[in-house]
Amino acid sequence: MAEHEFLYANSLHKVQIDTPQGVVECVAASYAGVPFFVEETASSGGREVVTTPLPFSDSHVNEDVGKKVLGITCTIYLTGADCETKRERLEEALNKEGAFEFIHPHYGRMNARCTSYSLSFKKAEQEFISGELTFVPEQKVENQAQSVTDLRGVAIGKSDFALSSAKSIFTEVFSIAGKAKSVVDSVADSTTKMLDDIESARGSIRSVSAFVNTLSQIRDNVQLIMMSPADFANRIQNLLTLTKETVSDDDANGYVSESLVMMRSTMAKRRDSAYSSADELSSEVDRLALMSAAAMAARSVVDCKFVSAEEAREMQDSLSSVFDDAAEQAGSVEDYATLMDLQATALKYLRDEMSKLAVVVELPLNGTRDILSVCFDCYGNLDRVDEILERNDVGDPLVMTRESLRVLSK
């Protein structure tokens, strides 16, 4: 059997303590200047993983939310005639708010906080107290590199990945080489209906020539285009992505809403199971449209503009509802995980934006007022008169006798 040299352990000054269980060899440590003896030390860490079961299945998805905080647990002893005084001092330090110096024989010197402790002593065992202490290291924020997550970049990156993944899976599954013409024709009919749904959902871009031309080309050559699944997938995704840059009046809010409408329309068409080759292939077409629309909805959220936190919250509720419904109908673990990831990214961006936005508050009116004086008193200028009028549906802006107006907090 190999022999090991414990050079570091042997270099520590050890103390032997008589306990009811026998002689224990310990090393010295301290917290907030209060000394104690350590017999054993255990540490805990790892990754913080949130596990979510998939509805109506035996599968689940794991989400890594970061590194766990290091926990250091020590088995300690207090001895001597003044052991009660030591206990009082130690408990006072352990219960005190803030981080204090923790000196440990193995972990060294650090600032730490005590998260829990337990001490035990018996009347029959004089001058001897045992216990267990748990510490977490204190982070020095001022010495850490300050970094800010680019939520916009994260949303765009995950959208691109979702689009690419949807296209790859579709290309792999939807291979109609050797399929009967009747199957191709059936899928073509289903695809034409899906194109109608896209045109109907994209109300803000019907007049854009690029969108109309692409739509017409697919309709006129749908059977031929299907013979090349990769090209077909590209064309379908183009309908859902090229309009992002050509949407009328650069209305990103409306574009997100239209993407959610497209998702709902596709979900309504999807079948619970495939009874024939045509049904299975049609379902794959719908799946491609659903996942592509979901990717664009999450991506376009970063271009939305909100006047108030209430507007952003309405978008949040709508997006959350549609994505939750889509996840419940997900046909695979991969689709479920992608939808949940896109939803989480979009909602995180919206929550971050809401923290920067004004909220709607009630401005009391003392006596009869006119809209110009109210606007100037509220904002220091007259730039937002129309905004106040629109939000409150004011009848006579020169003579207002109402009790309050709904205005933005900033």
Side-chain angles (χ1 to χ4, degrees):
M1 183 175 179
E3 294 184 0
H4 300 279
E5 294 185 0
F6 302 99
L7 298 179
Y8 177 74
N10 293 334
S11 69
L12 298 173
H13 179 68
K14 302 177 183 64
V15 177
Q16 290 187 337
I17 300 175
D18 289 324
T19 72
Q21 290 76 34
V23 177
V24 175
E25 192 172 67
C26 300
V27 289
S30 70
Y31 180 69
V34 181
F36 48 84
F37 294 109
V38 175
E39 177 192 6
E40 295 180 352
T41 300
S43 60
S44 61
R47 306 293 298 181
E48 198 71 56
V49 178
V50 177
T51 299
T52 304
L54 295 181
F56 312 109
S57 75
D58 296 328
S59 302
H60 67 276
V61 292
N62 295 323
E63 181 182 2
D64 190 330
V65 296
K67 183 180 178 181
K68 285 185 177 180
V69 179
L70 172 66
I72 302 173
T73 301
C74 307
T75 300
I76 68 125
Y77 298 102
L78 300 173
T79 62
D82 61 343
C83 132
E84 278 297 322
T85 302
K86 292 178 181 176
R87 177 190 62 77
E88 291 177 359
R89 290 179 57 206
L90 181 58
E91 285 198 281
E92 181 182 358
L94 297 175
N95 287 315
K96 193 173 181 180
E97 182 181 359
F100 301 93
E101 186 177 60
F102 175 43
I103 301 176
H104 189 276
H106 300 291
Y107 288 96
R109 189 187 302 263
M110 69 181 76
N111 283 334
R113 297 174 187 261
C114 177
T115 59
S116 66
Y117 74 88
S118 63
L119 299 174
S120 61
F121 49 94
K122 300 179 181 178
K123 292 181 179 179
E125 299 170 4
Q126 301 295 324
E127 302 182 2
F128 174 79
I129 296 176
S130 63
E132 187 172 272
L133 316 181
T134 300
F135 300 95
V136 293
E138 183 75 358
Q139 294 290 329
K140 295 182 179 180
V141 179
E142 65 275 9
N143 295 334
Q144 295 179 11
Q146 300 296 310
S147 60
V148 178
T149 302
D150 181 10
L151 298 180
R152 179 187 180 88
V154 170
I156 293 175
K158 290 187 176 181
S159 171
D160 288 342
F161 176 79
L163 287 170
S164 176
S165 176
K167 181 166 60 179
S168 297
I169 295 175
F170 177 84
T171 303
E172 180 180 350
V173 175
F174 197 119
S175 178
I176 62 173
K179 298 291 183 182
K181 185 177 184 303
S182 59
V183 174
V184 176
D185 291 341
S186 178
V187 177
D189 291 340
S190 174
T191 302
T192 301
K193 295 177 182 177
M194 186 263 289
L195 296 176
D196 293 337
D197 290 338
I198 294 179
E199 183 179 23
S200 176
R202 295 300 189 198
S204 63
I205 43 78
R206 286 184 183 175
S207 61
V208 178
S209 60
F211 175 79
V212 175
N213 290 338
T214 302
L215 196 65
S216 300
Q217 289 173 8
I218 299 178
R219 276 202 185 106
D220 295 341
N221 304 281
V222 63
Q223 286 94 341
L224 181 61
I225 297 172
M226 279 185 182
M227 299 308 296
S228 177
D231 181 44
F232 177 79
N234 277 328
R235 290 175 183 249
I236 294 297
Q237 287 190 338
N238 280 342
L239 288 176
L240 299 165
T241 59
L242 67 84
T243 55
K244 168 64 179 60
E245 285 72 31
T246 56
V247 63
S248 59
D249 300 326
D250 193 26
D251 181 18
N253 298 50
Y255 186 80
V256 173
S257 298
E258 291 176 358
S259 295
L260 298 179
V261 169
M262 184 64 228
M263 289 178 65
R264 285 199 182 280
S265 175
T266 304
M267 285 188 287
K269 288 177 55 184
R270 298 189 73 185
R271 296 167 173 80
D272 294 331
S273 60
Y275 298 103
S276 67
S277 297
D279 289 336
E280 182 180 0
L281 297 179
S282 295
S283 179
E284 286 301 321
V285 174
D286 292 336
R287 179 192 168 280
L288 173 67
L290 171 66
M291 300 305 291
S292 300
M296 290 312 299
R299 181 192 187 110
S300 302
V301 162
V302 301
D303 293 316
C304 290
K305 297 177 182 178
F306 305 102
V307 175
S308 67
E310 282 73 13
E311 288 186 11
R313 190 172 293 109
E314 288 178 6
M315 176 71 76
Q316 172 186 271
D317 294 343
S318 178
L319 188 143
S320 180
S321 173
V322 176
F323 270 80
D324 284 345
D325 290 345
E328 288 183 4
Q329 297 185 31
S332 67
V333 174
E334 291 77 11
D335 285 356
Y336 180 91
T338 299
L339 288 166
M340 290 292 94
D341 197 22
L342 289 171
Q343 180 193 47
T345 301
L347 294 182
K348 186 175 183 179
Y349 180 86
L350 286 172
R351 284 194 296 270
D352 184 68
E353 285 299 298
M354 278 190 280
S355 66
K356 308 171 188 176
L357 292 171
V359 297
V360 177
V361 296
E362 294 288 333
L363 176 68
L365 298 181
N366 299 319
T368 303
R369 298 289 302 274
D370 65 90
I371 191 64
L372 297 180
S373 64
V374 169
C375 183
F376 188 84
D377 289 347
C378 186
Y379 299 118
N381 57 60
L382 302 178
D383 297 339
R384 300 163 77 170
V385 170
D386 291 340
E387 175 190 297
I388 297 177
L389 293 174
E390 182 179 353
R391 181 171 288 107
N392 292 273
D393 192 24
V394 175
D396 186 352
L398 296 180
V399 182
M400 296 187 299
T401 58
R402 56 200 304 171
E403 295 182 354
S404 63
L405 290 175
R406 300 176 72 244
V407 298
L408 295 180
S409 59
K410 57 183 178 181

